[in-house]
Amino acid sequence: MKILVCISKTPDTTAKIAFTDNNTKFAQDGVQWIINPYDEWYSLVRAIELKEKDAATVIHLVTVGAADSDPIIRKALALGGDEAIRVNADSHDSFYIASQIAEVAKQGAYDIVFMGKETIDYNGSSIGGMVAELLDRPYVSLATKFDLNGTVATINREIEGGEETCEVSLPVVVSTQKGMAEPRIPNMKGIMGARTKPLKVQEPIAVDALTQIASFELPPAKAGVKMISADTPEELVRLLHEEAKLI
Amino acid sequence: MSVLIFIDQSEGHIKKSSYEVLGYGAAVAKQIGTSAEAIVLGAVGDDLASLGKYGVTKIHHADAANLNSMDAQAYAKVIAEAATATGATVLVFSNNVNGKAIAPRVSARLKAGLVAGAVALPDTSNGFVVKKGVFSGKAFAHISVNTAIKVIALNPNSYQPAVTGGTAEVVKLATSVQPLVKVTATNKITGQVPLSEAELVVSGGRGLKGPENWGMIEDLAKLLGAATACSRPVADAHWRPHHEHVGQTGGSIAPNLYIAVGISGAIQHLAGVNRSKVIVVINKDPEAPFFKAADYGIVGDAFEVLPKINEAVRKLKGA
Ligand SMILES: Cc1cc2nc3c(=O)[nH]c(=O)nc-3n(C[C@H](O)[C@H](O)[C@H](O)COP(=O)(O)OP(=O)(O)OC[C@H]3O[C@@H](n4cnc5c(N)ncnc54)[C@H](O)[C@@H]3O)c2cc1C
Ligand SMILES: Nc1ncnc2c1ncn2[C@@H]1O[C@H](COP(=O)(O)O)[C@@H](O)[C@H]1O
C-alpha cells in the first residue's frame, strides 16, 4: 500500500491577519508557520495509523512550496512518513498546486492520496477535487472516517446534517477532517529520525495559473456591543424581535 | 454563451443553498448579458419548472437512478459536458459539502479558473474579479479569473436571491456515467435544522459544565427553530456530537443570528462563526473576548439567564 499525504504550510491559528504592498500581500512579519491542522491532525495521523496496522505500507509526503517550507515538511516527517517530496514552486493558484501534486501522484503510483479538508489561510477546499480529476480517480471529500479492507475503502463523509458511509475501490483521493484521527505530538525518536529521512526537491512542471489574487481586504469593524443587564434578559428577546428583527 | 447553475438536492429535495445560487447565477447572467440555465442530477420530488421564478430559463434534468447520490467524479463529468453543450462561460455552485467536491473537479476538467467561497457578485468592470472569504473569516480576497470559462462556488447564506416570477423549461438529459463511490448507509439527524443551512444557531461552550445541562440550549433552539452548535472542547469531551463543533477546525457557518452561551470566544472559535450577521454572547466573565465580536451581550450566569430568555421567547411565540 502506497499513501501520499499532502502537507501545506499555514500561519498559526492565532496569527494576526494584516496585509502589505497596497493590500496585495499577506504580512508575514512575526508570523509563526505551522502544518495546516487538517493535514497534520487528520491526514497524516490516519496514514500513520494505517501503517501501524500494515507494516508494508509506505507513506510519502508532498508539499508544493519554496525552501521556507522545509521546516514544516521536516516537522511532518517527525510525526511519521518515510520520505518527503517538495515541489519547488510558490503559488496560491489551486489548479497550479493541484497539477504539481497530481504529477507527483502519477509518478509514485499511490493507492491513496490524502489531503486536508481545506487550508486555514486560503480556504480553497479545492486541491483534493482537482487532483482527483487530474488523475481521473474517485474523490471522497470531507471524510471523518477511513478504513481499509484489502483494496476496498470504507469511508464516512459529511453530508448536510449528518454523515454517509460509502465504499470505493482503490485508488482513491480523500480529503480529511475531524473524526478521522486524534492529533499526536512528535516524540524524540521521531524528531531525530526525521533529520535523516529523504527530502527530495524537484522542479515544477509547466502549468498556467488560472486565477490570481488581485487584493485583500479586512472586514469592517463591529459597531460595538450593546450590553443588556442580567436582571432583565427578556430585554434581549425584545431587541432581537423589534430591533434586529431576527426572531 | 450562458451561465450554468448546479442545483443540489438531497433525497429528492432541493437544498436551500440551491435557491441562493439560482438567484446569484441569474444575476451574473444579467450582468454579462446572457441567459441562465440550471442542471440537476438524480430524482427530484420538488417542482423544477417553478424554479424559473429565480430567473433561470431552462433546467437540464439528468434523472438516471445512479445519480441519486453524489459521486464527484460522475457528477463533474455530466456537469462539464452540459456546460460545453450549452456554451456556458460561467458555472455556479454552492460552496456547500457537495459543491466543495464537484466544483474543483469541473474546474480542473474544463481548465476553468475557480473561486471557492465567493461572497459577492463578480466585478466585471475590469476583467472578472470575485470577492471570497480567506483566513477563516478574518479577511477577504479579490480573485481575478484569467480563463474564458469561470467557476464560482458561492458561500451559503451570503446572497439573498430575488424572486421575479416565470417558469423554466425542463429538459431531460441522458447520461451514461458509472459512479464508483457506493453509498451504503446514511445517518442523518432528523427533526433538526442542519447546521450549515440554519439561519439561527444556539451554541454552547464549556461554561455549561456538562452534557446534562444542554436541555436549556435545546429548548431555546426548538423555540426559535434554530440549529445547535458547540465549541471544540465540548465536542472533544463528547458532550455533543462532532458535527456540532464550529470554528477553525470544525464547521464554518454564517447564520443571521448566532447565540453563544458559555463560550469564551477564542480566535479559533471565532474563525468559524464571525461571518454570522448578528452575534449574541452570554458569559459570566465581562472580560471574555467574545464580547468584542458581539452585537448584543449579557454578563451573567447562563443557568440563571437562559431559562428567563426561554420564558420570554415562549411568551413572544405564544407557545
Ligand atoms: C489549532 C487550534 C484549533 C482550534 N480550533 C477550534 C475550533 O475549531 N473551535 C473551537 O471552539 N475551538 C478551537 N480551538 C480551541 C480554542 O482555542 C478554545 O480553547 C476553545 O474555543 C474554548 O472553548 P470554550 O469557550 O467552550 O471553553 P472555555 O475557554 O473554557 O470558556 C468557557 C467560557 O464559559 C464562561 N462560563 C463559565 N461558566 C459560566 C456560566 N455559568 N455562565 C456563563 N458563562 C460561563 C467562562 O467565563 C468562559 O468564558 C482550537 C485551538 C487550537 C490551538
Ligand atoms: N502548497 C501545497 N502543497 C501540498 N499540499 C497542499 C498545498 N496546498 C494545499 N494542499 C493540500 O490540499 C488541502 C486543501 O487545500 P485547499 O484546497 O487550498 O484549501 C490542504 O489541506 C493540503 O492537504
Side-chain angles (χ1 to χ4, degrees):
Chain A
M1 191 66 52
K2 281 190 82 180
I3 306 177
L4 183 66
V5 179
C6 301
I7 299 289
S8 55
K9 159 180 158 268
T10 52
D12 171 41
T13 52
T14 58
K16 181 174 158 44
I17 307 305
F19 304 101
T20 62
D21 296 48
N22 206 11
N23 284 328
T24 58
K25 286 204 174 70
F26 172 59
Q28 309 208 359
D29 276 6
V31 169
Q32 287 263 27
W33 296 93
I34 58 167
I35 308 173
N36 188 42
Y38 296 102
D39 307 353
E40 174 181 341
W41 298 352
Y42 308 127
S43 292
L44 181 53
V45 175
R46 188 63 194 139
I48 296 167
E49 287 171 352
L50 292 171
K51 189 180 166 96
E52 284 166 354
K53 267 200 217 146
D54 171 17
T57 302
V58 173
I59 303 173
H60 289 177
L61 315 182
V62 62
T63 194
V64 180
D68 59 0
S69 294
D70 285 347
I72 293 300
I73 199 98
R74 285 273 178 223
K75 192 181 163 213
L77 281 172
L79 274 159
D82 302 298
E83 60 176 73
I85 301 147
R86 176 168 66 81
V87 180
N88 189 29
D90 210 0
S91 172
H92 291 308
D93 179 61
S94 305
F95 183 74
Y96 182 92
I97 297 170
S99 301
Q100 306 305 333
I101 295 172
E103 181 63 23
V104 170
K106 262 181 222 159
Q107 286 167 9
Y110 298 94
D111 304 288
I112 303 164
V113 182
F114 275 135
M115 54 261 299
K117 144 182 154 167
E118 66 177 10
T119 46
I120 63 169
D121 48 4
Y122 292 98
N123 307 129
S125 247
S126 312
I127 304 282
M130 289 183 175
V131 169
E133 187 64 30
L134 292 165
L135 296 173
D136 196 21
R137 287 185 183 180
Y139 178 46
V140 180
S141 53
L142 308 177
T144 55
K145 200 164 181 282
F146 181 99
D147 285 305
L148 272 179
N149 191 347
T151 57
V152 175
T154 304
I155 309 172
N156 281 13
R157 70 176 176 195
E158 179 187 337
I159 56 172
E160 269 96 5
E163 278 189 2
E164 226 165 46
T165 305
C166 28
E167 272 179 16
V168 61
S169 293
L170 302 183
V172 66
V173 178
V174 177
S175 84
T176 65
Q177 62 167 334
K178 194 183 163 84
M180 180 59 64
E182 292 299 326
R184 291 186 180 184
I185 43 170
N187 55 28
M188 209 51 201
K189 187 164 158 265
I191 294 166
M192 298 306 285
R195 295 192 192 157
T196 53
K197 285 180 185 172
L199 167 54
K200 292 186 198 151
V201 178
Q202 64 185 56
E203 290 309 308
I205 55 165
V207 180
D208 285 331
L210 308 183
T211 63
Q212 216 165 295
I213 298 172
S215 62
F216 290 102
E217 179 187 327
L218 289 171
K222 283 251 173 189
V225 51
K226 193 176 254 186
M227 297 304 294
I228 295 137
S229 161
D231 300 329
T232 55
E234 56 281 0
E235 177 63 5
L236 171 72
V237 177
R238 188 189 70 77
L239 287 167
L240 290 178
H241 181 60
E242 289 173 14
E243 186 177 84
K245 297 192 167 47
L246 286 169
I247 65 172
Chain B
M1 221 171 84
S2 73
V3 171
L4 185 66
I5 303 151
F6 172 66
I7 300 175
D8 194 14
Q9 56 93 9
S10 164
E11 291 165 344
H13 293 293
I14 292 164
K15 293 181 189 168
K16 178 185 156 234
S17 56
S18 295
Y19 303 119
E20 297 166 5
V21 289
L22 281 165
Y24 180 93
V28 173
K30 211 169 177 188
Q31 201 177 329
I32 62 173
T34 181
S35 61
E37 301 186 14
I39 181 165
V40 57
L41 278 60
V44 177
D46 300 344
D47 177 29
L48 290 174
S50 70
L51 296 178
K53 66 172 179 275
Y54 292 98
V56 288
T57 53
K58 199 183 224 179
I59 296 176
H60 305 268
H61 186 194
D63 62 354
N66 67 2
L67 295 174
N68 284 349
S69 64
M70 196 278 294
D71 174 84
Q73 193 174 21
Y75 269 44
K77 187 160 185 282
V78 172
I79 296 165
E81 281 168 6
T84 307
T86 57
T89 53
V90 180
L91 282 90
V92 181
F93 294 81
S94 170
N95 198 38
N96 65 355
V97 285
N98 284 350
K100 284 176 180 174
I102 309 161
R105 290 199 76 126
V106 171
S107 160
R109 195 175 179 93
L110 298 174
K111 305 273 177 288
L114 165 69
V115 181
V119 295
L121 287 168
D123 175 358
T124 48
S125 61
N126 181 14
F128 195 96
V129 180
V130 189
K131 182 174 173 179
K132 69 159 274 181
V134 287
F135 294 98
S136 307
K138 285 175 253 172
F140 298 101
H142 297 265
I143 307 292
S144 160
V145 185
N146 311 331
T147 48
I149 304 176
K150 285 101 177 156
V151 183
I152 302 175
L154 177 72
N155 262 351
N157 222 356
S158 53
Y159 186 82
Q160 192 67 44
V163 178
T164 50
T167 46
E169 179 195 354
V170 180
V171 290
K172 290 273 186 248
L173 184 66
T175 53
S176 60
V177 287
Q178 252 331 311
L180 299 177
V181 177
K182 299 260 172 304
V183 174
T184 55
T186 302
N187 185 4
K188 231 177 178 170
I189 298 94
T190 46
Q192 252 189 44
V193 195
L195 187 52
S196 55
E197 295 196 355
E199 291 181 7
L200 312 175
V201 174
V202 186
S203 187
R206 207 146 56 176
L208 287 168
K209 311 285 188 274
E212 66 281 6
N213 298 324
W214 243 261
M216 50 188 191
I217 296 279
E218 283 174 337
D219 283 349
L220 180 57
K222 208 175 209 155
L223 285 165
L224 295 175
T228 48
C230 68
S231 66
R232 187 175 123 203
V234 164
D236 282 352
H238 304 291
W239 294 0
R240 301 295 295 173
H242 277 324
H243 68 259
E244 283 198 2
H245 158 203
V246 290
Q248 186 114 58
T249 45
S252 171
I253 55 172
N256 295 333
L257 176 63
Y258 183 74
I259 303 179
V261 186
I263 304 178
S264 58
I267 193 158
Q268 297 93 352
H269 184 82
L270 292 178
V273 303
N274 55 12
R275 289 190 296 120
S276 309
K277 297 205 174 80
V278 171
I279 294 179
V280 173
V281 170
I282 300 168
N283 196 304
K284 70 171 184 192
D285 174 10
E287 302 295 322
F290 221 148
F291 285 117
K292 288 203 184 70
D295 299 279
Y296 298 99
I298 297 182
V299 176
D301 184 342
F303 294 92
E304 288 167 19
V305 170
L306 209 51
K308 288 186 193 159
I309 289 176
N310 289 357
E311 194 43 50
V313 175
R314 209 168 278 130
K315 241 187 237 159
L316 177 74
K317 302 265 180 190

